[in-house]
Amino acid sequence: HTLKSTLSQRLASDTLAEEQRIILESTAEAIMLTRGERLIKCNQRFADLVGEPIGQVLGGRLWQWLADPNDWHRHAARARSVMSHGTTFRTKVRIRRSNGELLWVEFAADPVDPAHLEKGVVWTGQDLTSRMHSEATLHASEERYRALITLTSDWYWEWDANLRFTHLSGPGLARAGLSPAIYGHALGALSHIGGVSTEGWAALQRQIERREPFRDFIWQTQNDGQEEARWFSMS
């Protein structure tokens, strides 16, 4: 009976260990257990991240994979302070792979026991390189678009689904009597805007509701004291 009980417990323990191993290896994040500066355990994802076999990374010092090893020493005191209060420590660093490639990685660290950091720290890491490259590319594309709009238009604007202004920019706004003060207001509701029939406004609304583009929607400013009317075209 004792042997049977022992074997059953061992089987349950082995099954749990195998389940944990599968979870550890199937996650997309790098996972490490460290004590002090030393790497005690890690999953395959971390080894892939640094470009080395697991057998070579175990026992290594964390700072040896940083593009700038001094980053570890600069942040170590702050990390210990944060984790000792039971709070997750987060940081973004560049690591250098074994082939020399540099990657941006975001790490989160939680202590096994906040009162006894020497028991170890569990780290999770996520490669940010692709995301940061995509964000940089998108930002550059937006900058080019804004520059193009500035060069080719008197102004650029954005409306919400009810044709209310949510954004304005460009050198021609003052001539049309437009400014950020009109945010939340529709063009047709502005007192100095005219020259559009009721049907004209309704037709524009229908186009917007059908998600159709429009070109050369013409309107007039009617400011008091203005020497002559000014006409504008929006597309």
Side-chain angles (χ1 to χ4, degrees):
H1 177 76
T2 302
L3 177 60
K4 182 179 179 181
S5 175
T6 300
L7 290 174
S8 296
Q9 291 176 5
R10 176 63 185 271
L11 178 61
S13 177
D14 290 346
T15 301
L16 179 60
E18 179 62 14
E19 290 175 350
Q20 291 174 340
R21 186 193 66 80
I22 292 173
I23 293 172
L24 192 67
E25 295 301 337
S26 61
T27 182
E29 293 184 318
I31 301 177
M32 306 95 74
L33 171 66
T34 64
R35 291 194 183 101
E37 298 181 352
R38 295 283 185 177
L39 177 63
I40 306 303
K41 292 182 181 180
C42 71
N43 64 350
Q44 185 62 46
R45 177 60 182 141
F46 177 75
D48 293 341
L49 201 63
V50 298
E52 298 179 27
I54 285 184
Q56 291 185 16
V57 299
L58 294 180
R61 291 181 169 87
L62 286 181
W63 49 261
Q64 72 186 59
W65 294 290
L66 298 179
D68 181 359
N70 289 321
D71 280 348
W72 172 264
H73 303 291
R74 279 195 291 265
H75 300 307
R78 183 167 63 91
R80 285 192 293 268
S81 175
V82 169
M83 289 187 292
S84 66
H85 289 87
T87 305
T88 300
F89 172 72
R90 300 181 187 278
T91 186
K92 295 177 184 177
V93 295
R94 280 200 309 173
I95 67 170
R96 188 184 302 277
R97 306 188 74 226
S98 58
N99 63 1
E101 181 185 2
L102 297 177
L103 300 178
W104 276 103
V105 180
E106 181 176 41
F107 284 108
D110 289 286
V112 174
D113 182 350
H116 300 280
L117 297 182
E118 69 277 4
K119 291 184 178 181
V121 175
V122 176
W123 297 77
T124 57
Q126 186 173 23
D127 184 359
L128 298 180
T129 307
S130 296
R131 191 178 83 188
M132 293 181 73
H133 177 72
S134 297
E135 289 175 352
T137 301
L138 178 61
H139 179 72
S141 176
E142 289 177 343
E143 287 297 316
R144 287 194 297 269
Y145 179 68
R146 299 292 183 185
L148 179 63
I149 288 294
T150 301
L151 289 170
T152 60
S153 305
D154 280 341
W155 70 78
Y156 164 82
W157 86 100
E158 293 178 11
W159 284 338
D160 64 14
N162 295 311
L163 308 191
R164 294 174 301 201
F165 285 98
T166 59
H167 180 76
L168 284 166
S169 65
L173 294 173
R175 293 194 300 275
L178 304 178
S179 74
I182 67 170
Y183 286 177
H185 299 280
L187 181 67
L190 302 179
S191 60
H192 69 288
I193 302 298
V196 183
S197 66
T198 301
E199 175 54 34
W201 288 116
L204 176 63
Q205 181 69 55
R206 288 194 296 270
Q207 278 186 284
I208 295 297
E209 290 173 352
R210 291 195 299 265
R211 302 179 184 275
E212 295 176 352
F214 66 89
R215 297 197 62 81
D216 298 323
F217 180 75
I218 297 174
W219 47 273
Q220 177 189 28
T221 58
Q222 300 174 320
N223 288 333
D224 293 337
Q226 197 170 268
E227 294 182 2
E228 58 183 14
R230 288 178 176 170
W231 293 87
F232 296 89
S233 174
M234 300 177 79
S235 300

